[in-house]
């Protein structure tokens, strides 16, 4: 039984601060995903939990035990590397059993555990092979097998699927989800792919520039992004952003003005805004509908027909385009004029500093 | 595809020419070795009455059995220790020292620039001060030291190419540094260790200057070193000298034939890794 607790955790590489004070609590059994663009510090944070990078300052607890100065091997964690990091000179059997062997597990017990792990991962037929004789997906399984035989308190994954092709990635994603349900262990998973984050996570931690932007369930982040960064990062296609000013304010709604829009009214919780305030209006592509009386209009510049939905880009002016994901197969012609509408509740408003209102 | 193109013919011709040039001296040594003892064989001519007994006489005269034993003892004293020390140091320098301790590696690199001949005189006095002159340790200990710069450089180059992920995976699997070294790093380093072993063997076996300077008694030298004494003693009997030289060469040639594949690998590795 082990959760995780990070308190004002920081990491410097030389003079450069890469992790800038992270606070985070993870319950036992939670599947947590660190997501963010490349270089934001996800791997560094994960490696700090593993003990592979020293923590410059702050407290790091695994299962109520302060582990800042504990060796990686004594932290009760197992890690699956992006490169798999299998031992090239050992068979799959020995790769999976290496940790148990080091721990002095009796041979019979070790054998049973290795075979059990191989069964779970459907790789019993691979046990005698060397890593060089395996495909990418098979190596991935071995790497996961090596982690699960040791029954760690916390599993750490660093972009484990990024070297697989798209179809295999989807399969392995589902398998990881199943594994999490079966094992009930705490898992921390790093990815730059927000779809992976959304599908796997109980809790998503969005990182950018070494700072936690938001922590929440996938739907929390989707429905109530805390700032412009999260709003733009979570959700596909990306959220549309439009610069607007406040035109008038009533008790529960404000009316926006923009040269690009026909003054839409949106629900807004705050009435302290004043006419003339500058805001950013965020609209998810899936919130937009074809509507001849809608506030957004322009020329269609792109149509992508995916079968279940139709992605349409509409140019509002030379610098601004809006993406709409319309349900079903729509009859939209390239170059034609189109108008889009949205429900007042589907608008996200962000202040001048990018924070959600 | 059956008929070779003219260009490959030219290449083969050049190769054959080169091979002849390389082998000719050996061949002429061989025919000379078969000439009657005390005669002065000229050039390449098969003697009318080949004296195979010259080899047996040379074996006796050079005390070859003793020399093989001596060379073997010296190789056994030098190579395992050097390879072990270099493997550990290479690992340490590649994986365990960074940042402020990088200069340690530079000390070894500096050793690489030192010409062997430049240290032979100070070595003589040092070995004498240790009271080791005329013992095999006079060859073994300096050689271990002299091989370190290259060996450490060689092994470090190998360890630098081993991904850090493997070290980290081993650490998370519960390995101490020591276990990681023996169970993960050394097995992976086998090709590099093998090449280094072969190179050090050859250099030790063929070591000439050091034994000649530091050990007077030829029976305690390496074979190549003993050749010097043999030449001084039998320099006038050319057929015998040739037979003796060929015998001294034999072990390295046999070793080469046995480990051909590894030799080529060792040399290629050198060329790739620089
Ligand atoms: N060992 C290191 N030394 C110096 N800088 C590093 C080191 N490791 C990572 N960094 C820097 O820290 C930042 C975060 O890296 P990383 O955690 O690998 O990002 P991510 O995994 O999110 O792509 C990057 O700017 C990277 O250049
Ligand atoms: Mg990374």
């Amino acid at each position: 039984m082990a959760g995780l607790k990070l308190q004002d955790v920081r990491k410097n590489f030389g003079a450069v601060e890469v992790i800038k004070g992270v606070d985070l609590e993870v319950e036992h059994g939670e599947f947590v995903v660190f997501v963010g663009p490349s270089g934001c510090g996800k791997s560094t944070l994960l490696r700090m939990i593993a003990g592979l990078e020293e923590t410059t300052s702050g407290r790091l607890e695994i299962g109520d035990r302060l582990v800042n100065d504990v060796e990686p091997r004594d932290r009760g964690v197992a890690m699956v590397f992006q490169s798999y990091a299998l031992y090239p000179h050992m068979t799959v059997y020995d790769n999976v059993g290496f940790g148990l062997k080091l721990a002095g597990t009796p041979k019979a017990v070790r054998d049973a555990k290795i075979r059990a792990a191989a069964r779970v991962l459907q790789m019993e037929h691979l046990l005698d092979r060397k890593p060089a004789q395996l495909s990418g997906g098979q190596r991935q399984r071995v790497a996961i097998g090596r982690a699960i035989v040791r029954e760690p308190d916390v599993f750490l994954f660093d972009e484990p699927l990024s070297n697989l092709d798209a179809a295999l990635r989807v399969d392995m994603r589902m398998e990881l989800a199943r594994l999490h349900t079966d094992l009930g262990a705490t898992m921390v998973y790093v990815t730059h792919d927000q779809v992976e984050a959304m599908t796997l996570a109980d809790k998503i931690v969005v990182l950018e520039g070494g700072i936690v932007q938001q922590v929440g369930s996938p739907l929390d982040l989707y429905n109530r992004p805390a700032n412009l960064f999260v709003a733009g990062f979570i959700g596909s296609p990306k959220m549309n952003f439009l610069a607007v000013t406040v035109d008038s304010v009533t008790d529960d709604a404000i009316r926006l003005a923009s040269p690009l829009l026909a003054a839409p009214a949106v629900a807004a919780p705050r009435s302290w805004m004043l006419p003339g305030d500058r805001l950013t209006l965020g609209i998810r592509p899936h919130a937009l509908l074809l509507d001849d009386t809608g506030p957004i209009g322009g020329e269609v510049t792109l149509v992508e027909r995916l079968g279940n939905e139709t992605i349409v880009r509409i140019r509002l002016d030379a610098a601004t385009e809006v993406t709409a994901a319309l349900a079903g197969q729509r009859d939209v012609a390239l170059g034609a004029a189109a108008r889009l509408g949205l429900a007042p509740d589907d608008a996200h408003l962000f202040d001048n500093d990018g924070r959600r209102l | 595809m059956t008929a070779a193109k003219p260009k490959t013919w030219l290449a083969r011709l050049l190769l054959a020419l080169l091979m002849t040039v390389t082998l000719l001296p050996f061949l002429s040594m061989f025919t000379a070795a078969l000439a009657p003892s005390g005669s002065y064989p000229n050039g390449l001519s098969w003697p009318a009455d080949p004296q195979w007994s010259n080899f047996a006489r040379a074996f006796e005269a050079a005390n070859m059995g003793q020399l093989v034993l001596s060379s073997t003892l010296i190789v056994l004293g030098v190579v395992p220790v050097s390879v072990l020390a270099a493997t550990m140091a290479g690992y340490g320098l590649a994986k365990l020292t960074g940042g402020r301790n990088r200069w340690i590696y530079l000390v070894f690199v500096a050793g690489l620039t030192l010409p062997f001949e430049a240290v032979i005189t100070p070595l003589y006095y040092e070995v004498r001060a240790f009271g080791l002159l005329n013992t095999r340790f006079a060859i073994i200990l300096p050689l271990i030291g002299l091989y370190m710069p290259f060996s450490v450089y060689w092994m470090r180059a190998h360890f630098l190419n081993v991904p850090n992920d493997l070290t980290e995976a081993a650490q998370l699997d519960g390995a101490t540094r020591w276990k990681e070294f023996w169970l993960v790093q050394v097995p992976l380093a086998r090709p590099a260790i093998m090449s280094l072993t072969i190179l050090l063997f050859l250099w030790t076996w063929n070591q000439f200057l050091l034994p000649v300077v530091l050990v007077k008694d030829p029976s305690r030298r390496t074979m190549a070193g003993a050749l010097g004494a043999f030449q001084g003693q039998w320099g006038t009997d050319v057929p015998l000298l040739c037979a003796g030289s060929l015998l001294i060469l034999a072990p390295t040639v046999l070793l080469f034939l046995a480990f051909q594949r590894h030799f080529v690998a060792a040399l290629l590795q050198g060329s790739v890794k620089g």
Side-chain angles (χ1 to χ4, degrees):
Chain A
M1 296 288 278
L4 279 176
K5 201 157 148 197
L6 279 64
Q7 276 177 356
D8 194 29
V9 161
R10 288 165 190 274
K11 175 72 190 177
N12 286 49
F13 284 116
V16 186
E17 189 165 48
V18 172
I19 300 294
K20 299 169 185 167
V22 169
D23 292 289
L24 181 68
E25 278 199 47
V26 177
E27 302 287 320
H28 172 76
E30 250 183 332
F31 199 124
V32 181
V33 176
F34 296 168
V35 68
S38 178
C40 70
K42 312 175 293 284
S43 296
T44 305
L45 193 56
L46 191 79
R47 291 164 54 79
M48 288 163 76
I49 297 172
L52 297 172
E53 298 285 0
E54 265 178 50
T55 304
T56 307
S57 71
R59 287 175 64 85
L60 182 60
E61 289 177 24
I62 299 178
D64 297 331
R65 185 166 65 115
L66 183 70
V67 294
N68 283 41
D69 298 319
V70 175
E71 290 283 323
R73 61 175 175 273
D74 299 324
R75 291 194 181 193
V77 302
M79 183 157 163
V80 175
F81 293 80
Q82 184 172 1
S83 65
Y84 315 136
L86 301 178
Y87 309 118
H89 60 296
M90 296 183 199
T91 60
V92 169
Y93 185 93
D94 290 333
N95 260 286
V96 174
F98 188 61
L100 295 174
K101 196 165 164 185
L102 287 172
T105 313
K107 200 161 190 294
V109 180
R110 192 166 23 139
D111 185 70
K113 284 188 175 177
I114 295 171
R115 291 191 188 280
R119 202 169 319 119
V120 171
L121 294 167
Q122 293 152 24
M123 54 174 199
E124 286 159 295
H125 58 295
L126 303 176
L127 285 175
D128 294 328
R129 295 205 201 162
K130 293 267 179 75
Q133 299 164 303
L134 301 175
S135 69
Q138 290 169 331
R139 283 178 210 186
Q140 185 61 70
R141 276 165 207 277
V142 178
I144 294 171
R146 191 168 64 180
I148 65 178
V149 282
R150 297 186 47 231
E151 297 166 13
D153 297 325
V154 181
F155 283 89
L156 306 174
F157 296 93
D158 192 355
E159 311 225 10
L161 306 186
S162 58
N163 290 342
L164 303 179
D165 63 58
L168 203 52
R169 202 148 57 210
V170 175
D171 287 349
M172 283 305 287
R173 206 167 70 200
M174 288 196 260
E175 241 178 282
L176 279 174
R178 182 174 58 83
L179 204 64
H180 176 240
T181 321
D182 290 352
L183 299 174
T186 310
M187 294 189 172
V188 183
Y189 185 103
V190 161
T191 180
H192 64 267
D193 177 355
Q194 56 95 19
V195 177
E196 255 172 51
M198 295 293 280
T199 49
L200 284 170
D202 296 323
K203 184 192 266 180
I204 295 181
V205 178
V206 182
L207 278 169
E208 159 65 358
I211 297 170
V212 173
Q213 302 293 321
Q214 191 173 3
V215 179
S217 73
L219 290 183
D220 267 352
L221 300 197
Y222 186 83
N223 293 330
R224 303 187 49 78
N227 57 37
L228 276 177
F229 178 80
V230 177
F233 194 78
I234 301 286
S236 173
K238 236 169 94 92
M239 188 186 275
N240 299 297
F241 295 117
L242 298 167
V244 294
T245 48
V246 177
D247 186 43
S248 62
V249 180
T250 63
D251 275 352
D252 56 355
I254 54 175
R255 186 163 288 280
L256 303 172
S258 160
L260 304 174
L261 305 173
V266 298
R270 297 270 191 283
S271 52
W272 47 258
M273 275 177 291
L274 298 173
D277 282 353
R278 292 167 178 284
L279 304 174
T280 301
L281 170 66
I283 310 165
R284 295 226 178 261
H286 285 95
L288 289 166
L289 308 164
L290 279 182
D291 178 356
D292 286 340
T293 62
I296 303 168
E299 183 196 337
V300 176
T301 58
L302 178 83
V303 182
E304 291 177 340
R305 300 174 201 283
L306 302 177
N308 64 330
E309 60 181 15
T310 309
I311 311 286
V312 178
R313 276 183 84 79
I314 292 179
R315 180 186 294 148
L316 305 191
D317 72 2
T320 319
E321 293 198 344
V322 164
T323 307
L326 307 169
Q329 306 179 359
R330 295 311 181 91
D331 217 3
V332 189
L334 207 58
R339 290 203 78 78
L340 301 168
L342 78 156
D345 289 340
D346 287 335
H348 301 263
L349 283 175
F350 301 91
D351 67 16
N352 235 347
D353 297 327
R355 280 191 303 262
R356 179 186 189 81
L357 290 180
Chain B
M1 295 305 277
T2 44
K5 291 183 192 123
K7 263 189 195 153
T8 36
W9 272 113
L10 188 68
R12 282 186 193 172
L13 193 75
L14 285 174
L15 272 179
L17 210 68
L18 199 66
M19 229 165 67
T20 319
V21 169
T22 313
L23 287 178
L24 217 56
F26 290 97
L27 205 64
S28 108
M29 251 170 95
F30 186 64
T31 55
L34 293 175
S37 178
S39 69
Y40 287 87
N42 49 1
L44 248 182
S45 60
W46 192 251
D49 175 23
Q51 303 284 313
W52 295 100
S53 61
N54 280 349
F55 284 98
R57 280 211 311 130
F59 194 93
E60 296 266 308
N63 200 1
M64 205 65 78
Q66 175 64 33
L67 284 186
V68 171
L69 180 71
S70 177
S71 277
T72 307
L73 284 177
I74 290 170
V75 164
L76 286 179
V78 171
V79 178
V81 174
S82 302
V83 169
L84 181 70
T87 306
M88 289 175 141
Y91 172 72
L93 288 172
K95 298 288 186 194
L96 305 180
T97 48
R100 234 169 292 155
N101 294 327
R102 266 192 202 294
W103 62 270
I104 298 177
Y105 171 61
L106 294 179
V107 174
F108 285 96
V109 175
L112 272 180
T113 64
L114 208 62
F116 180 49
E117 290 75 9
V119 297
I120 193 91
T121 313
L123 253 183
Y124 177 83
Y125 289 109
E126 210 163 306
V127 167
R128 198 175 62 175
F130 276 119
L132 294 174
L133 227 46
N134 284 327
T135 66
R136 290 200 186 91
F137 283 108
I139 302 171
I140 292 173
L141 295 180
L143 276 186
I144 292 176
L146 287 166
Y147 287 163
M148 272 309 111
F150 172 81
S151 309
V152 167
Y153 168 82
W154 180 270
M155 290 313 298
R156 177 178 175 270
H158 161 79
F159 284 117
L160 279 182
N161 284 336
V162 177
N164 273 330
D165 280 4
L166 282 184
T167 299
E168 293 175 348
Q171 274 182 276
L172 283 167
D173 263 342
T176 56
R177 281 288 181 186
W178 188 245
K179 288 225 159 133
E180 179 218 328
F181 176 72
W182 285 111
L183 298 178
V184 178
Q185 299 291 352
V186 168
L188 285 178
R190 251 185 36 204
I193 291 176
M194 193 77 171
S195 325
L196 183 65
T197 306
I198 289 173
L199 289 175
L200 292 188
F201 171 85
L202 277 183
W203 293 344
T204 309
W205 195 270
N206 292 335
Q207 188 55 240
F208 181 76
L209 188 59
L210 209 54
V212 167
V213 174
L214 298 176
V215 177
K216 277 216 191 71
D217 178 359
S219 69
R220 292 202 192 128
R221 290 180 180 172
T222 57
M223 276 188 113
L227 185 63
F230 187 75
Q231 192 184 2
Q233 206 173 344
W234 301 95
T236 49
D237 191 341
V238 175
L240 198 67
L241 191 61
C242 287
S245 304
L246 284 173
L247 283 179
I248 285 172
L249 275 174
T252 28
V253 173
L254 287 180
L255 187 92
F256 174 78
L257 292 178
F259 289 97
Q260 232 180 43
R261 228 157 36 87
H262 295 287
F263 268 97
V264 175
L267 296 177
L268 281 181
Q269 207 170 17
S271 72
V272 172
K273 284 186 182 165

